[in-house]
Amino acid sequence: MAKLGFIGLGIMGTPMAGHLLAAGHALFVHTRSQVPQTLLAAGAQPCTNGADVARQADIVFTMVPDTPDVEKVLFAPGGVAEGLSAGKTVVDMSSIDPIATKDFARRIEALGCDYLDAPVSGGEVGAKAASLTIMVGGKQEVFDKVLPLFQLMGKNITLVGGNGDGQTCKVANQIIVALNIQAVAEALLFASKAGADPAKVRQALMGGFAASRILEVHGERMVKRTFQPGFRIELHQKDINLALSGARQLGLSLPNTAMVQQLFSACAANGMAALDHSALCRAVELMGHHTIAPDA
Amino acid sequence: MAKLGFIGLGIMGTPMAGHLLAAGHALFVHTRSQVPQTLLAAGAQPCTNGADVARQADIVFTMVPDTPDVEKVLFAPGGVAEGLSAGKTVVDMSSIDPIATKDFARRIEALGCDYLDAPVSGGEVGAKAASLTIMVGGKQEVFDKVLPLFQLMGKNITLVGGNGDGQTCKVANQIIVALNIQAVAEALLFASKAGADPAKVRQALMGGFAASRILEVHGERMVKRTFQPGFRIELHQKDINLALSGARQLGLSLPNTAMVQQLFSACAANGMAALDHSALCRAVELMGHHTIAPDA
């Protein structure tokens, strides 16, 4: 059994850490607020800071909200870097900036340690069910070493490439998911306003080239008007911001991604930031003064 | 065996008519240019005009390029309406304006006849393989009567609603397909420019919420740089025009659909109108001065 660390015990981190504990590993933990009682009862050992976690554990997982949080957890005074010694491994499972990630990896490797970026998709449901999709960037041998631990938390686990490529893949995922939601929203709104039954249209489209996971899951939410999260608009806004700030740094134009960010902002301005991202359809509904289906 | 008519023997109509003939039905045909020799050899009976087809056949199929073509074939002097008598059925399988379709249906029904709009998806390959998706608008009893004939041409056949709703569903399909292609293009371009392998990113994304038929089929074309059609950009431009003119009539805003039409125009302006619609990625590639993968 390994000595593991886990930093960031929020909605995602708590069940993920729980799976590592349940497999019998020693788990040293730290989080901004209080360590959940369930984890303490299962044997998690609380540490005073990230440096302390890194001193006790051989592999340290981080799962925090955003790029500055990862930087702070790793490199601020009392952070992970302070407690690392050569041969240890840092695995960042947060969803953050791919370009900053390459820098974080270089700084960790300069300490004689290994780094993986391993953001996930699948949300709270996937975290609890240990069915997360995990997109990994880093060296093959480090991936091979950590893979049995990833398999305790997820199902669809891919080494995409070198450091940063896991985060890049996650950004690509969030671009497609947002734009596919918008695609379904524009199509079903058109169908509904033209007088067709959006539920039947969705059903007919599922068999052809319009078929997607988003048409299946989020299309149904739009028709049934069930917008409780799921994945909140305010979180998807953060991910699309990574896409757009990255595109600016890389010199790329992503016109539909930029438009969707504006439509997410319209949703947030109308009090929908905490709704499921399928409520992105509300922005075009508001503009057209028509809903895909009557609100329940 | 039924007496059938088929008007419009182009790339799609010819194999579709061939399937009706092969099942042993009598087939009266008319087309703008010459009736293909293969159909004549199989027993198709050429007629001088649409009115003549409608006099001979009980169910008349039309498969022509655009809304004005359907109007001409049905209602111009010598057109189908001139030869119809009460109890006959018109089935328009062209992809045209849903709003004009409702008007065409009313005018055919005023003659004591039935009307179905039944546009298809699946292209030349689907037409030849008799595997088309067919989206039908009209009365249930008319649908039930024509269904065995649809089954000679397609596989995924849905009665979506009343007249016009088949065309509305097709427009919704084309909106989603175009926007999903753009989603994959923006995501893979971001990934490639950020230094990740777009083929590996596509593979990793196939297991999660970004999964779609478009990521599978068109994503592969973008990575492998295989842009021979398939479905040509100039045809998708026509369908998106139906979406946008419909949206204007209906008072809807479809911002990403409008953007994609501009990007299709950029492709056409750069000599790509006859390429497969997966080449939509070329527009953002040109803007970013970077290709998802090296051209072959």
Side-chain angles (χ1 to χ4, degrees):
Chain A
M1 290 296 108
K3 288 199 231 166
L4 307 178
F6 209 106
I7 297 172
L9 300 169
I11 288 175
M12 298 292 291
T14 297
M16 291 163 72
H19 297 310
L20 298 175
L21 266 175
H25 297 291
L27 193 70
F28 301 88
V29 300
H30 179 68
T31 194
R32 274 192 301 194
S33 51
Q34 280 204 309
V35 176
Q37 197 54 46
T38 51
L39 291 180
L40 293 175
Q45 301 176 51
C47 300
T48 53
N49 57 25
D52 193 24
V53 172
R55 273 180 215 109
Q56 310 271 0
D58 295 319
I59 302 178
V60 179
F61 294 89
T62 55
M63 188 62 172
V64 296
D66 209 344
T67 312
D69 305 300
V70 174
E71 180 153 36
K72 190 175 162 194
V73 158
L74 295 182
F75 301 110
V80 168
E82 212 173 278
L84 285 175
S85 49
K88 297 196 174 191
T89 301
V90 172
V91 183
D92 178 35
M93 303 189 77
S94 321
S95 289
I96 66 162
D97 184 359
I99 299 165
T101 289
K102 293 181 193 189
D103 175 55
F104 297 164
R106 272 191 299 268
R107 290 159 72 185
I108 294 296
E109 288 180 349
L111 303 172
C113 298
D114 292 313
Y115 189 95
L116 295 178
D117 47 297
V120 306
S121 164
E124 188 180 355
V125 172
K128 286 183 173 165
S131 66
L132 293 168
T133 294
I134 309 179
M135 296 153 266
V136 188
K139 296 200 184 79
Q140 180 74 52
E141 63 269 25
V142 185
F143 175 78
D144 293 341
K145 185 178 71 175
V146 181
L147 182 58
L149 302 172
F150 285 144
Q151 286 167 335
L152 297 173
M153 299 182 277
K155 287 227 159 73
N156 180 25
I157 303 154
T158 313
L159 179 64
V160 179
N163 279 133
D165 290 353
Q167 296 293 354
T168 294
C169 190
K170 175 70 191 285
V171 171
N173 184 75
Q174 296 304 79
I175 290 173
I176 293 181
V177 169
L179 297 195
N180 283 7
I181 291 174
Q182 181 64 15
V184 171
E186 295 196 15
L188 293 186
L189 183 64
F190 178 92
S192 172
K193 190 72 190 278
D197 177 345
K200 284 194 181 161
V201 168
R202 175 182 159 278
Q203 199 55 48
L205 297 182
M206 285 294 293
F209 271 103
S212 68
R213 284 281 282 150
I214 296 300
L215 179 63
E216 190 186 332
V217 176
H218 299 69
E220 186 174 42
R221 290 179 193 158
M222 293 178 204
V223 170
K224 295 198 172 163
R225 316 304 288 173
T226 51
F227 296 132
Q228 54 276 42
F231 186 73
R232 294 197 304 281
I233 281 176
E234 60 199 357
L235 293 175
H236 212 147
Q237 285 181 290
K238 187 207 92 179
D239 293 339
I240 294 298
N241 195 48
L242 290 177
L244 294 174
S245 65
R248 199 173 49 202
Q249 289 178 71
L250 296 167
L252 293 178
S253 299
L254 303 180
N256 275 9
T257 304
M259 176 59 79
V260 155
Q261 185 72 315
Q262 298 306 309
L263 297 172
F264 274 138
S265 295
C267 291
N270 283 276
M272 294 180 258
L275 292 188
D276 184 70
H277 56 167
S278 57
L280 178 58
C281 70
R282 293 290 296 125
V284 279
E285 288 180 345
L286 287 167
M287 289 194 278
H289 194 64
H290 181 81
T291 58
I292 289 169
D295 280 308
Chain B
M1 290 296 108
K3 289 199 233 167
L4 308 177
F6 208 106
I7 297 172
L9 300 170
I11 288 173
M12 297 293 289
T14 297
M16 292 163 72
H19 296 309
L20 298 175
L21 266 175
H25 297 291
L27 193 71
F28 301 89
V29 299
H30 179 68
T31 194
R32 274 191 301 194
S33 52
Q34 281 203 309
V35 176
Q37 197 54 46
T38 51
L39 291 181
L40 294 173
Q45 302 176 52
C47 299
T48 52
N49 57 25
D52 192 25
V53 172
R55 275 182 212 106
Q56 309 272 359
D58 295 319
I59 302 177
V60 178
F61 294 89
T62 54
M63 188 62 174
V64 295
D66 210 344
T67 311
D69 305 299
V70 174
E71 179 152 37
K72 191 176 163 194
V73 158
L74 295 182
F75 302 111
V80 167
E82 213 173 277
L84 285 176
S85 49
K88 297 196 173 189
T89 301
V90 172
V91 183
D92 179 34
M93 303 189 75
S94 321
S95 289
I96 66 162
D97 185 358
I99 299 166
T101 288
K102 293 182 191 187
D103 175 57
F104 297 164
R106 273 192 298 269
R107 291 158 73 184
I108 293 296
E109 288 180 350
L111 303 171
C113 298
D114 291 313
Y115 188 96
L116 295 177
D117 48 297
V120 306
S121 163
E124 188 180 356
V125 172
K128 286 182 172 165
S131 65
L132 293 167
T133 294
I134 308 180
M135 297 154 263
V136 189
K139 295 201 185 79
Q140 181 74 53
E141 62 269 26
V142 185
F143 175 78
D144 292 341
K145 186 178 71 177
V146 180
L147 182 57
L149 302 172
F150 285 145
Q151 286 166 335
L152 297 172
M153 299 182 276
K155 287 227 159 75
N156 180 23
I157 302 156
T158 312
L159 179 64
V160 180
N163 280 134
D165 290 354
Q167 296 293 355
T168 294
C169 190
K170 174 70 192 283
V171 171
N173 184 74
Q174 296 302 80
I175 291 172
I176 293 180
V177 169
L179 297 194
N180 283 8
I181 292 174
Q182 182 63 17
V184 171
E186 295 194 14
L188 293 186
L189 182 65
F190 178 91
S192 173
K193 190 72 191 277
D197 177 346
K200 284 195 182 159
V201 168
R202 174 181 159 279
Q203 200 54 50
L205 297 182
M206 285 294 294
F209 271 102
S212 69
R213 284 280 281 149
I214 296 299
L215 179 63
E216 189 186 333
V217 175
H218 299 69
E220 186 175 38
R221 290 178 192 158
M222 292 177 205
V223 170
K224 294 198 172 162
R225 315 307 285 175
T226 52
F227 296 132
Q228 54 275 40
F231 187 74
R232 295 198 301 282
I233 281 176
E234 60 197 359
L235 293 175
H236 213 148
Q237 286 182 289
K238 187 207 92 177
D239 293 339
I240 294 299
N241 195 48
L242 290 177
L244 294 175
S245 64
R248 198 172 51 201
Q249 289 178 70
L250 296 167
L252 292 178
S253 299
L254 303 180
N256 276 9
T257 305
M259 176 59 80
V260 155
Q261 185 73 313
Q262 298 306 309
L263 297 172
F264 274 139
S265 296
C267 291
N270 284 276
M272 293 180 259
L275 292 189
D276 185 68
H277 55 167
S278 56
L280 179 57
C281 70
R282 294 288 297 124
V284 278
E285 288 180 347
L286 286 167
M287 289 194 279
H289 195 65
H290 181 82
T291 58
I292 290 169
D295 281 309

